[in-house]
Amino acid sequence: MTSVVDDDVTALAGKSVEEVRAAFVGWLADNAAELAPFRHLSTEVGQIFATLSTLQRMLFSAGWIRLGWPEEVGGLGGPLILRAVISEELAAAGYPPPFSFGTQEVLGPAVARFAPPELAAEMLPRLLRGEESWCQGFSEPGAGSDLGSLRLRAVDEGDAWRVNGEKIWTSWAQFANRCVLLARTGTVESAHKGITALFLDMDTPGIEIRPLTSMNGDDEFCSLFFDDVLVPKSRTLGEVNGGWAVAMFVLSCERGAAAWQRQAWMRWRLGTITDLAPELPDAAAGEAFTLIHALRLLSRRTVRSLSAGEPVGVLPSFDKLMMSTAEKFLFDAALGSAPDTVLLGEDEAARDLRSDYLYSRASSIYGGAAEIQRNIIAERVLGLPRE
Ligand SMILES: Cc1cc2nc3c(=O)[nH]c(=O)nc-3n(C[C@H](O)[C@H](O)[C@H](O)COP(=O)(O)OP(=O)(O)OC[C@H]3O[C@@H](n4cnc5c(N)ncnc54)[C@H](O)[C@@H]3O)c2cc1C
């Protein structure tokens, strides 16, 4: 692998987006042979996870995925928009996002913002280096869309919280070293005002992890059971009973920055689908491209605002809605024009397409369901009545 002198990449943190883009595209071309294995991932989740961690470590040691992160947490500095450029060019060149499982863009910013500085300085470099992954413990069996009603309880025990309860749909928890967990610290009636965010180690005694198989065959989800789990108070993110602010920030990253990665991936995927399913009518391919481009424009606004440190409010709800609309349209069009390939194809490309089709069904559920995004837009942007 061509080694990029750290000083060169460090200097890029102060350069323009276009200079960074050109340098990274050049590096990808120079190292194409060594990066080639990352284009074809195994179908086995453990293997995928290991491969993506290797890619992450490569990109970290070359400096690329340190750009746009503050130096205090292991980055090289520069604006957040540089992270978006790196993930975009990686996808455009046909590589998977190395940090998709580690939810680097979803949980990383929240830990950087809400963790005590020494904790963020200790933990974030491990995530960026690909040494560990984190999971998001928000949803519960009775609290998904209605997150403010969550029940997993954290009781104040002096220096620690004693945690009891259950989480569900926690992606990749079986591989995770840490968890950003939302816990009830007030009364249930206190709703979103009685929630505290914690950052806990997944090997703490009392945590049981049970994987759940999803319809594409992956063991992506887990149920988590907490039985008298002690979490040091020093692992509190943000204010006690102020966990809602952490949750909303995480969701704005999930609906915003993650949508940017997804649009870059969908642009690339559309090209591969037109090769694989030449029956796809031009009109459908054109419509898919238009939707993906609309997502790109919406998401660009969000990424720019996040990069400038401006509040994004509820605007990422538009991005999330457009993301699921574009993704479902793309894979519905593929299924409609090449049903035999998508449903029955046995080669690797057909299997990937089938898996992506099935996963596209989830795009209007995770990160907040489409109906919830519509409610947010109706009530908080358009000012329509709640009922
Ligand atoms: C691929 C994937 C990955 C996920 N990863 C994680 C993770 O890592 N961590 C985590 O904590 N969670 C995760 N989730 C869970 C996800 O956040 C929830 O599934 C989602 O918030 C919906 O909650 P629910 O499943 O409880 O559905 P419910 O809230 O029960 O909703 C069921 C249906 O009712 C609709 N509905 C609910 N309330 C309203 C309303 N007020 N108005 C109109 N319609 C409504 C919903 O839109 C939905 O269609 C993941 C989900 C998926 C699909």
Side-chain angles (χ1 to χ4, degrees):
M1 166 132 322
T2 305
S3 140
V4 174
V5 183
D6 251 2
D7 286 351
D8 290 351
V9 181
T10 306
L12 281 173
K15 300 280 177 159
S16 73
V17 163
E18 287 321 315
E19 284 170 293
V20 172
R21 190 187 295 282
F24 186 53
V25 168
W27 183 85
L28 286 174
D30 290 346
N31 293 283
E34 228 158 321
L35 291 166
F38 297 113
R39 287 177 189 277
H40 302 286
L41 294 179
S42 149
T43 50
E44 199 276 308
V45 166
Q47 193 58 45
I48 295 175
F49 210 87
T51 307
L52 294 185
S53 299
T54 308
L55 177 57
Q56 171 109 12
R57 280 196 286 275
M58 275 182 177
L59 290 165
F60 182 91
S61 51
W64 296 111
I65 51 175
R66 299 174 66 192
L67 290 169
W69 286 96
E71 290 171 37
E72 311 83 82
V73 296
L76 295 174
L80 176 153
I81 206 155
L82 299 183
R83 301 192 329 233
V85 171
I86 298 302
S87 68
E88 180 179 23
E89 291 305 331
L90 209 52
Y95 300 109
F99 27 74
S100 59
F101 293 124
T103 57
Q104 180 177 305
E105 286 298 331
V106 176
L107 299 174
V111 170
R113 177 183 288 208
F114 292 100
E118 58 286 2
L119 181 63
E122 180 191 349
M123 295 296 174
L124 257 157
R126 299 182 189 183
L127 183 71
L128 296 181
R129 275 199 292 268
E131 277 172 19
E132 57 178 55
S133 65
W134 302 351
C135 63
Q136 179 184 347
F138 285 17
S139 305
E140 296 181 7
S145 300
D146 186 13
L147 193 57
S149 69
L150 66 85
R151 290 178 171 270
L152 175 133
R153 176 154 283 288
V155 175
D156 189 339
E157 299 246 322
D159 290 341
W161 297 104
R162 184 179 293 276
V163 178
N164 280 287
E166 183 180 347
K167 293 286 171 184
I168 196 168
W169 313 130
T170 321
S171 296
W172 314 119
Q174 69 273 49
F175 300 105
N177 307 82
R178 327 271 161 208
C179 180
V180 174
L181 186 80
L182 295 181
R184 168 88 30 220
T185 41
T187 59
V188 173
E189 294 70 39
S190 62
H192 63 279
K193 294 191 180 129
I195 292 171
T196 300
L198 307 176
F199 186 63
L200 55 92
D201 299 339
M202 289 296 284
D203 60 359
T204 313
I207 304 176
E208 188 192 340
I209 305 169
R210 285 191 213 154
L212 305 163
T213 304
S214 58
M215 73 172 167
N216 66 353
D218 289 345
D219 289 343
E220 162 166 353
F221 299 124
C222 295
S223 276
L224 304 181
F225 300 91
F226 293 78
D227 183 12
D228 280 338
V229 175
L230 289 175
V231 181
K233 285 268 180 71
S234 57
R235 293 301 193 85
T236 307
L237 298 178
E239 302 290 322
V240 173
N241 290 328
W244 197 246
V246 181
M248 291 305 104
F249 183 70
V250 167
L251 289 175
S252 73
C253 293
E254 185 166 5
R255 294 168 189 165
W260 177 259
Q261 282 183 9
R262 208 67 183 160
Q263 66 80 26
W265 175 77
M266 275 192 263
R267 275 164 85 99
W268 167 80
R269 198 65 175 105
L270 174 60
T272 61
I273 288 174
T274 48
D275 290 343
L276 199 65
E279 309 88 337
L280 188 71
D282 287 349
E287 178 71 11
F289 182 81
T290 306
L291 290 170
I292 296 166
H293 194 67
L295 169 62
R296 179 182 174 77
L297 297 178
L298 285 171
S299 183
R300 188 174 66 169
R301 178 185 62 180
T302 304
V303 170
R304 281 187 174 161
S305 297
L306 286 169
S307 192
E310 296 162 358
V312 292
V314 298
L315 291 181
S317 287
F318 285 98
D319 309 12
K320 179 70 205 333
L321 199 52
M322 182 55 79
M323 186 189 102
S324 55
T325 305
E327 189 164 339
K328 283 185 162 180
F329 182 90
L330 174 63
F331 290 100
D332 281 342
L335 176 65
S337 47
D340 289 354
T341 308
V342 178
L343 296 175
L344 305 170
E346 275 307 320
D347 60 14
E348 186 188 320
R351 275 202 309 270
D352 285 352
L353 190 52
R354 185 155 56 246
S355 176
D356 287 346
Y357 170 81
L358 293 173
Y359 203 82
S360 71
R361 305 302 98 180
S363 64
S364 55
I365 305 174
Y366 62 76
E371 292 80 1
I372 301 307
Q373 306 314 317
R374 288 195 182 92
N375 283 350
I376 292 171
I377 292 166
E379 290 162 19
R380 301 191 48 197
V381 180
L382 302 175
L384 296 177
R386 215 174 146 72
E387 295 304 327

